[in-house]
Amino acid sequence: MVRAGRARARRRSVGLAVVGAGAIAVAAAVLWPTVQRHGNSGYAQSSGGVIPIPSADGDAAASYWASHLSSTASTTPEAPQGSESDVGTAVPSPAANATGTSTAAAAANQLAALASSSPMTVSNPLTGAAFDGVPQVGAIFSTEDGSISGEGHYCTGSVVNSPEGDIIVTAAHCVYDSSGVYTDIAFVPGYHDGQDPYGVWIPSAVVVAPQWASGSDPNYDVAFVVVHEEGSSTKIQDVVGGDDLGLDPGYTGLTQVIGYPESTEEPVNCTNYTSEFSDPSLTTPQLQFDCANYPGGTSGGPFLQSVDSNTNLGTVVGVIGGYEAGGDSPSVSYSVYFTDWTGSLFAQAESEG
């Protein structure tokens, strides 16, 4: 599928275990090529790694969406904290550091509703059902897509726990195509019905694997994005919390997938067991998730395991992407398998925080 004005993504868009510190240290030492500005507006070129976003582009995107969305946020609500699980290996992350409490009502009410929800169970029927959303998952917008009536948002992303508290994860095809990295995007956590309850966040840097940058290799279809709020030092994780990053989760696990269809103004979610998917075009098997109603716009949506029913936070073990850019059918979604190389990208993003 082609995203309006450029290559629109066809689709869619951990209890804590200790990760080897050596892997992160090695990842941080990787040398990445420098970025060069692309000739066309809205792009920056690079051969992978950490790609800085020109501040003027980010500021323009923030101003555009601030004027097009209805803000319901005023000060920083208290962020929910993560939960423990035994999913694969989770990158350690700190507890959220709340910086305000006076207007936490929206987040508190949402969390109160989540607290009464039941533990994870397989959805019946197996179809993505519309719901109000969760704070840490949001829609990704592009100024080139114009209207917000189901057309401004074209992919999905989610906040990942990190020491700096400013990283989201999405599919690489949501933020980088053959022309380079998109510089005119914005992330709106908890988005619904034209509202930005937790603000509009713009990228400072995008991190993709060189294999993706050089040839859109579906084995590396994941990106980490460092984000900030214009004119504020508040960290997004302090506002909405974040999911742990899970590496080597195994191929079969009870998983909730959340995504924002581009034709609607609220997200969908569904829970089912993942399975292993192999294809000659893939060097490593990927995760397969069978559940209907995940059309264009849900790309980048998180595969969440061990979700805490009190906070709705869990472990992100994948994102809709990879094989067929996440799947040619809205009923079947794929994700690259998160392992050491994913942790390396995450470490690079942390170094930019």
Side-chain angles (χ1 to χ4, degrees):
M1 186 172 187
V2 176
R3 101 170 160 121
R6 106 181 13 155
R8 179 188 286 276
R10 135 81 182 88
R11 281 282 295 249
R12 321 165 220 351
S13 50
V14 114
L16 299 179
V18 176
V19 69
I24 296 299
V26 170
V30 175
L31 298 178
W32 300 95
T34 57
V35 64
Q36 292 183 331
R37 189 72 174 92
H38 191 271
N40 296 331
S41 175
Y43 288 101
Q45 281 186 322
S46 172
S47 55
V50 177
I51 309 163
I53 302 300
S55 59
D57 289 16
D59 291 345
S63 297
Y64 179 88
W65 290 113
S67 65
H68 282 70
L69 297 172
S70 300
S71 179
T72 57
S74 53
T75 62
T76 307
E78 184 172 354
Q81 296 186 17
S83 59
E84 295 188 358
S85 79
D86 56 0
V87 176
T89 299
V91 175
S93 54
N97 177 23
T99 58
T101 57
S102 61
T103 58
N109 290 340
Q110 190 165 22
L111 291 175
L114 292 170
S116 63
S117 65
S118 60
M120 293 179 68
T121 57
V122 174
S123 298
N124 184 16
L126 284 173
T127 186
F131 76 123
D132 290 339
V134 293
Q136 82 276 18
V137 180
I140 298 177
F141 290 77
S142 166
T143 58
E144 288 196 6
D145 284 334
S147 167
I148 63 167
S149 299
E151 308 213 357
H153 62 86
Y154 68 95
C155 268
T156 304
S158 59
V159 181
V160 183
N161 275 346
S162 68
E164 292 296 328
D166 57 2
I167 299 174
I168 70 169
V169 64
T170 187
H173 73 257
C174 287
V175 294
Y176 194 110
D177 65 21
S178 60
S179 294
V181 68
Y182 305 162
T183 64
D184 62 343
I185 61 176
F187 175 67
V188 183
Y191 173 77
H192 64 87
D193 302 309
Q195 298 189 359
D196 62 335
Y198 308 105
V200 175
W201 303 76
I202 54 178
S204 305
V206 173
V207 184
V208 297
Q211 295 90 334
W212 177 266
S214 63
S216 298
D217 188 333
N219 296 285
Y220 296 90
D221 190 5
V222 65
F224 293 97
V225 184
V226 180
V227 298
H228 67 279
E229 192 171 32
E230 187 180 29
S232 173
S233 61
T234 299
K235 302 291 188 177
I236 191 170
Q237 186 175 309
D238 293 343
V239 179
V240 300
D243 299 302
D244 296 327
L245 177 64
L247 306 180
D248 292 315
Y251 285 96
T252 302
L254 188 59
T255 304
Q256 178 189 48
V257 176
I258 301 174
Y260 279 82
E262 63 187 6
S263 61
T264 70
E265 293 301 281
E266 57 187 351
V268 298
N269 72 351
C270 182
T271 301
N272 195 10
Y273 282 92
T274 55
S275 59
E276 182 175 342
F277 173 79
S278 296
D279 185 82
S281 66
L282 302 174
T283 58
T284 302
Q286 299 194 350
L287 297 178
Q288 177 175 324
F289 180 79
D290 297 319
C291 191
N293 197 31
Y294 283 80
T298 58
S299 276
F303 281 44
L304 299 172
Q305 295 185 359
S306 299
V307 176
D308 188 314
S309 61
N310 292 316
T311 65
N312 223 39
L313 296 175
T315 300
V316 56
V317 300
V319 296
I320 295 177
Y323 182 70
E324 295 178 340
D328 280 346
S329 167
S331 296
V332 182
S333 301
Y334 302 102
S335 169
V336 299
Y337 189 76
F338 284 8
T339 186
D340 290 347
W341 67 268
T342 321
S344 296
L345 292 184
F346 182 62
Q348 288 291 308
E350 285 185 319
S351 71
E352 293 297 306

